[in-house]
Amino acid sequence: MKSLILAEKPSVAREIARVLGLKNINKSYIEGNQYIVTWALGHLIELKMPEHYDSKYKTWKLEDLPIVPEKMGLKVIKQTSHQFRAIDNLAKRKDIKEIIIATDAGREGELVARWILEKIRWKKSIKRLWISSVTDKAIRDGFKNLRPGEQFNNLYDSAVCRAEADWLIGLNVTRALTTKYEDPLSAGRVQTPSLALIINREKQIQKFVPIPYWTISAKLGSLLAVWTNDSLEQRIFSKEKAAEIVEKVEHGSAEVMSVTRKEKSEQQPLPYDLNELQRDANKRYGFSAKKTLSVLQKLYEQHKLVTYPRTDSRYLTTDMENTMLERLQALSGAYDEVRPLIQNKGKVLAKRVFNNNYVSDHHAIIPTEQRVHLSDLDNDERKIYDLIVRKFLGLFYPPYKYETVHVNFLVSGEKFTAKETIVKQLGFKQLQNTEIDATSTKLGELRVGNKLSVRSVDLEEKLTEPPLRFSEADLLGQMEKYGLGTPATRAEIIERLLETEVIERNNGRLFPTPKGKQLIELVHDELKSPELTAKWEKELELIAKGNASPKKFLANIRKQTEKLVSDIKKSDIKYRAHNLTGSKCPECGSFLKERNTKEGKILVCSNLSCSFRKHKEPKKSNRRCPQCHSKMEMHNGKAGLYFQCRKCNIVEQAEERKKSVNKREERKLVQKYTKKETFGTALGDLLKQALEEKGD
C-alpha cells in the first residue's frame, strides 16, 4: 500500500519526490515504492459563482441582490481541471491507503488541499506534513514527524470562513455598487478599509494649513546649542517673541546649569516576519510588497535559503537553538562576519528570541542550513537575502551600548541645551549599513558653573508640515496595526487597489484617485472601518484555535451582507465616472471612458453590456526604428499591419523586415528558438516561426 502526497506546486512536489527517492515520472504525478506525489496548481477548486446557483445571475441586476446561498458549493476550476481529474483518479487507486497533505503550512494551504479532498469525497486517513523550509533535511524530518490531519480541522474551518466571508461581502457589495452606479466599482472586506486609511490620510493633508514658527540656535564657545522652553519645545510660534529672545541673548554669556549623563543600550532586533521585511524592502529599495513576496518565495522554494515566508511571528521556538551553528556554517563562505560567531559555537546572545508563546503556525524568517552561493542569486534576491541574514546575525552580537550627555545652559535668563552621544559598544550595529548618530563635542568635560561666551545667535523661520502620504511600508504598518488581512494577503490587497484604479503610485507614495474618493463615500461606514475588519480577523484566528464558532461567524457575515446591500440600494448619493470622455461608442452610442493599462491608454464603453474597447494611442511594438532605434508604433491600414516611427516618420510594412534578414541573423534566430521544448521541430519551421516573430 502507498501514501498519496498532495503538494501545492509542481516545484515543491519535485523536491519532495527527489528527497524521498521517487523515480517514476508521469505527466501529473511522480511514483515510487512507498509514495506517490502529485500537486495542485495553486487552487484547483473554488466557490461556485452566482450563475451556478441560478442562470439568471449571469446578468447583474440590483434587484437580485443580495445573493446569499443557503449552503455554499464548490466547483472545479476549468483551466486546471485536468490536474484535478488526475488527483481524483490517483485517489481511487486501490493501493492508496492515505493522503499526506503537503501544501503550504498555513490557512490558505490547508484550504487548497481540503477543498480538493472534499470534492473527491475522500474518506480514508489524512496526515499532515508541516514544515517551515523545503531543504532536504526539513523534508526528511517532516516525514518522520507527520501529524494527524484532524489536528488542522479548526484551521480549515477558519479558511472556509475567510473564503465565504470574502465571497458574500465582496461579490454582493461589488455587484450592488456596479449596477447602481453603472461603473465597475470593487469593494471588499479588507480592501475597502485599506482604501479608507489612504483617503483619511489624504483628508488630513488637504485640511492642513501650514503655520510659521522660528527656532534659535547659538554658538557657545565651540559648542552649538538650541533654545528650548521648560517643556523642551524648540519651536516658537511668535516672531516678536523669537526676535526678543535673540536680542536678549546675543550679547550675553552662557553658564552651565546641569550636566546629565545616562548609560543606555539597544537590544538586538528580532528576525523578520513578512510584514516587517516588506516594509524594510520598501524603505531601502523601493520594492512593492508584491515584489518582495515574489522574491522571497523564490529564495524559499527555488534556492531553499530561507524559511517559510508567510509568517506573522518574529520569534523562534526553543528547540531551534541547537540548529543555529549549522545555519551559521552555511553562511560562512559568503559572510566574513560569521567566522567569529562560529568560533563562539553559534551562541545566541539575544535569548529572548526563543519563545514558544509567540510562535503559532510558523517562526520568524531566518536562513536555512543550505549553503549559500551568492553568485546564484540575482540582484533583487541578494538584497532581500542580505536583509534577512544581517537581521539574523544580529542575534549573535551583543547589544548596542552608548552614553548620552545633556547639558543645559542659561543665557540671559533663557534656556539652551546641547546633546552628545558617545558609543560604548557597537554590538549588532556593526552589521548594519547605516551611520551611527554619534557626536564628539566633549560636552562631558563641562562642569556646572562653567561659563562660555556667546559667539553668534541664529534665528531660522520654518513652516509646520502636513503628514506624508503613505508609502507601501507605511500602509503595511497600518494594516498590521488594525489587523487588516494577513501577512500572506496584504501585498495582494494593495495590488488590487491599484488594479481597480482607486489608488495610484507616484514617487513611492500612494495617492487616492477621484474614483477611490467617490467609492469610499458610497459604502457604509462599517465596511470602511478598520476596527470592524480587525474584529473579523481576530474571530478567524480564534476559529483556527478552536475558540470560536464558524457557524456563528458566517451567520453574522450573512446579516452584514444583507445590511450593506440594503444601504446601497437606499442610498441617494450621486456618482459620476471620473474618466468619462466626450467621445461616443461607435457600437451603442454610450460615452467612452479612458483607462490606463499596462498597454497604454485605452477607451472602453461605459455601457456595461457593451464590450467595445480600443487603444487611445497607437500600441508600441518591440520593433525598433532603423534610424533612431526607438520603439515603433503598430498600425492597421488598408494594406495590413505596418510600423511607424513617430520621431523619424519612417514606415515599414510588416513583411519588409523579413526580407532583409541576412544569413548571420538567420543563424542567431535559429539558435534563439531551438530550445528543449522545440526539440525535433524541423529547422525550416523554426526559422519560419522566428522570422514571423521578428516581423511582428
Side-chain angles (χ1 to χ4, degrees):
M1 298 294 282
K2 297 182 179 182
S3 300
L4 179 60
I5 303 165
L6 177 58
E8 190 159 334
K9 298 175 185 174
S11 58
V12 177
R14 285 193 292 269
E15 290 303 314
I16 291 173
R18 182 183 57 76
V19 172
L20 296 180
L22 313 186
K23 304 291 186 184
N24 186 5
I25 300 173
N26 292 274
K27 183 180 178 182
S28 52
Y29 63 93
I30 306 170
E31 187 167 359
N33 295 329
Q34 246 185 303
Y35 300 102
I36 301 172
V37 62
T38 186
W39 52 84
L41 297 166
H43 279 280
L44 299 183
I45 309 296
E46 64 184 359
L47 291 168
K48 286 182 178 179
M49 296 305 289
E51 56 269 27
H52 299 121
Y53 296 101
D54 193 323
S55 59
K56 72 177 183 178
Y57 294 137
K58 285 182 180 178
T59 305
W60 291 23
K61 293 179 182 176
L62 189 59
E63 57 266 28
D64 288 338
L65 302 175
I67 302 166
V68 184
E70 188 174 331
K71 186 179 187 310
M72 304 289 275
L74 300 175
K75 75 177 187 72
V76 178
I77 298 171
K78 188 176 180 181
Q79 294 89 330
T80 53
S81 58
H82 62 282
Q83 186 60 25
F84 170 76
R85 288 194 298 272
I87 295 171
D88 192 19
N89 290 333
L90 287 169
K92 288 174 180 173
R93 279 177 41 168
K94 291 182 179 178
D95 60 341
I96 298 296
K97 63 175 181 178
E98 65 182 4
I99 272 186
I100 299 171
I101 297 175
T103 49
D104 281 356
R107 188 169 76 185
E108 292 310 305
E110 198 68 23
L111 191 67
V112 167
R114 294 296 192 104
W115 270 358
I116 292 171
L117 298 189
E118 187 170 328
K119 199 66 180 168
I120 65 176
R121 298 180 181 178
W122 181 258
K123 302 295 183 187
K124 298 179 186 177
S125 171
I126 300 172
K127 288 183 180 173
R128 190 49 158 114
L129 175 72
W130 195 266
I131 55 178
S132 289
S133 63
V134 287
T135 62
D136 293 13
K137 182 177 183 298
I139 291 171
R140 281 193 292 268
D141 290 347
F143 272 92
K144 288 177 187 173
N145 298 285
L146 293 171
R147 302 196 205 174
E150 56 265 24
Q151 281 188 11
F152 301 91
N153 288 347
N154 292 328
L155 185 66
Y156 172 50
D157 289 341
S158 173
V160 170
C161 286
R162 194 279 309 156
E164 293 191 9
D166 285 346
W167 191 101
L168 288 164
I169 289 178
L171 183 142
N172 279 288
V173 173
T174 295
R175 283 199 176 201
L177 291 169
T178 299
T179 51
K180 175 155 185 168
Y181 299 106
E182 299 181 342
D183 197 35
L185 295 169
S186 177
R189 185 181 61 90
V190 179
Q191 71 185 58
T192 303
S194 300
L195 171 63
L197 289 171
I198 295 169
I199 287 178
N200 288 340
R201 174 56 61 91
E202 187 68 21
K203 287 178 179 176
Q204 291 174 23
I205 293 168
Q206 297 304 324
K207 287 179 182 176
F208 183 82
V209 178
I211 301 171
Y213 68 93
W214 290 262
T215 60
I216 302 171
S217 58
K219 194 78 176 289
L220 309 179
S222 61
L223 306 173
L224 186 68
V226 294
W227 177 92
T228 63
N229 63 16
D230 291 337
S231 302
L232 303 181
E233 173 64 66
Q234 297 179 5
R235 298 178 299 174
I236 304 167
F237 288 93
S238 164
K239 186 177 182 180
E240 291 75 17
K241 182 181 177 182
E244 182 184 311
I245 293 171
V246 169
E247 185 179 354
K248 186 177 177 183
V249 303
E250 59 186 349
H251 301 297
S253 64
E255 182 180 351
V256 176
M257 303 305 293
S258 66
V259 179
T260 307
R261 309 178 75 116
K262 285 186 180 177
E263 295 274 353
K264 295 186 177 181
S265 68
E266 185 179 327
Q267 293 298 308
Q268 307 92 329
L270 295 167
Y272 283 115
D273 61 10
L274 176 57
N275 204 71
E276 196 64 22
L277 180 58
Q278 287 171 321
R279 294 183 68 195
D280 266 11
N282 181 253
K283 290 174 188 173
R284 294 196 185 200
Y285 307 121
F287 286 6
S288 68
K290 181 181 179 182
K291 180 175 180 176
T292 298
L293 181 55
S294 174
V295 172
L296 189 57
Q297 201 71 28
K298 284 179 70 179
L299 289 170
Y300 168 67
E301 281 184 13
Q302 181 180 325
H303 300 291
K304 306 179 193 175
L305 293 175
V306 301
T307 56
Y308 185 74
R310 298 165 188 259
T311 177
D312 60 356
S313 176
R314 299 189 66 184
Y315 289 84
L316 305 174
T317 53
T318 51
D319 61 345
M320 294 180 70
E321 190 166 2
N322 58 12
T323 72
M324 296 295 107
L325 181 58
E326 192 176 359
R327 295 174 198 271
L328 290 174
Q329 289 166 339
L331 297 168
S332 60
Y335 288 87
D336 293 337
E337 298 92 337
V338 168
R339 289 169 192 164
L341 308 182
I342 293 175
Q343 290 172 3
N344 197 29
K345 298 182 180 179
K347 184 180 179 183
V348 173
L349 301 183
K351 291 290 187 183
R352 77 186 196 286
V353 73
F354 299 111
N355 192 324
N356 295 346
N357 295 327
Y358 293 108
V359 180
S360 52
D361 292 341
H362 295 285
H363 56 70
I365 302 167
I366 60 172
T368 64
E369 65 276 8
Q370 187 91 357
R371 185 164 290 276
V372 60
H373 301 285
L374 293 178
S375 58
D376 294 342
L377 306 181
D378 65 29
N379 191 41
D380 291 343
E381 289 165 352
R382 284 190 200 183
K383 286 176 177 175
I384 296 298
Y385 185 66
D386 190 66
L387 286 176
I388 294 167
V389 168
R390 292 189 180 280
K391 190 76 83 169
F392 171 70
L393 293 181
L395 300 173
F396 302 87
Y397 279 76
Y400 166 56
K401 293 184 178 180
Y402 60 101
E403 182 183 50
T404 60
V405 183
H406 281 86
V407 179
N408 289 320
F409 302 90
L410 198 62
V411 185
S412 302
E414 296 293 334
K415 184 178 177 182
F416 283 75
T417 185
K419 180 181 176 183
E420 177 182 26
T421 300
I422 303 164
V423 175
K424 297 291 188 181
Q425 176 179 273
L426 201 52
F428 70 89
K429 291 272 187 181
Q430 61 194 282
L431 293 164
Q432 300 175 356
N433 300 320
T434 54
E435 292 184 10
I436 304 298
D437 184 20
T439 54
S440 181
T441 55
K442 299 185 178 178
L443 284 177
E445 295 178 5
L446 294 174
R447 297 290 179 267
V448 174
N450 287 168
K451 295 197 175 179
L452 302 169
S453 60
V454 178
R455 293 193 174 182
S456 63
V457 181
D458 182 49
L459 178 65
E460 187 176 359
E461 182 179 359
K462 299 178 182 178
L463 288 171
T464 55
E465 295 181 352
L468 289 171
R469 291 178 177 87
F470 289 135
S471 64
E472 283 203 33
D474 299 328
L475 182 58
L476 286 166
Q478 290 292 305
M479 291 171 80
E480 182 180 41
K481 175 183 174 182
Y482 288 106
L484 297 177
T486 66
T489 61
R490 286 176 189 134
E492 184 184 324
I493 292 160
I494 294 172
E495 292 301 316
R496 178 69 179 154
L497 293 172
L498 290 160
E499 286 167 11
T500 54
E501 299 180 311
V502 294
I503 65 169
E504 59 189 5
R505 282 194 194 100
N506 193 344
N507 294 324
R509 298 281 162 180
L510 301 173
F511 290 69
T513 64
K515 181 179 180 179
K517 291 175 183 176
Q518 287 192 87
L519 173 60
I520 212 70
E521 298 301 321
L522 301 177
V523 297
H524 193 279
D525 287 345
E526 284 190 343
L527 187 58
K528 57 192 175 190
S529 162
E531 287 81 5
L532 179 67
T533 309
K535 180 176 172 250
W536 288 340
E537 282 295 342
K538 283 179 183 174
E539 284 187 56
L540 290 172
E541 286 179 24
L542 290 172
I543 291 167
K545 293 173 182 174
N547 296 326
S549 164
K551 287 184 180 178
K552 187 177 178 183
F553 175 82
L554 287 173
N556 289 335
I557 290 289
R558 280 171 156 76
K559 288 178 186 174
Q560 192 71 26
T561 300
E562 290 171 358
K563 185 175 187 303
L564 291 170
V565 171
S566 174
D567 288 340
I568 292 168
K569 286 182 174 181
K570 294 174 185 174
S571 174
D572 56 2
I573 300 173
K574 302 297 180 188
Y575 174 85
R576 175 178 168 78
H578 69 286
N579 53 352
L580 274 178
T581 69
S583 305
K584 291 197 173 181
C585 174
E587 294 184 6
C588 72
S590 302
F591 283 106
L592 294 174
K593 292 188 292 188
E594 183 182 293
R595 290 187 60 195
N596 293 317
T597 70
K598 292 177 181 177
E599 297 177 350
K601 292 182 184 295
I602 63 168
L603 294 172
V604 299
C605 184
S606 58
N607 182 351
L608 295 175
S609 61
C610 178
S611 58
F612 176 81
R613 59 192 287 141
K614 73 168 186 176
H615 282 274
K616 184 180 181 184
E617 298 168 349
K619 188 178 179 182
K620 294 276 186 182
S621 73
N622 287 326
R623 189 162 180 160
R624 298 283 179 175
C625 170
Q627 186 166 305
C628 71
H629 305 297
S630 59
K631 287 188 176 182
M632 301 177 81
E633 294 174 351
M634 295 173 64
H635 297 272
N636 268 305
K638 290 182 180 179
L641 180 67
Y642 67 92
F643 300 89
Q644 181 177 21
C645 176
R646 182 166 285 186
K647 292 180 183 177
C648 309
N649 206 29
I650 289 176
V651 175
E652 286 186 351
Q653 291 299 125
E655 297 297 319
E656 281 182 13
R657 193 72 70 89
K658 291 183 187 179
K659 295 173 185 174
S660 63
V661 177
N662 59 34
K663 291 289 182 185
R664 185 167 172 274
E665 286 178 305
E666 283 184 10
R667 285 196 300 273
K668 278 188 175 180
L669 289 166
V670 170
Q671 287 172 2
K672 176 183 175 183
Y673 287 96
T674 307
K675 298 178 183 174
K676 272 187 179 180
E677 56 266 32
T678 57
F679 180 76
T681 307
L683 181 65
D685 291 342
L686 284 168
L687 184 56
K688 181 181 176 185
Q689 175 192 353
L691 294 178
E692 283 175 354
E693 287 198 27
K694 189 169 180 70
D696 284 344

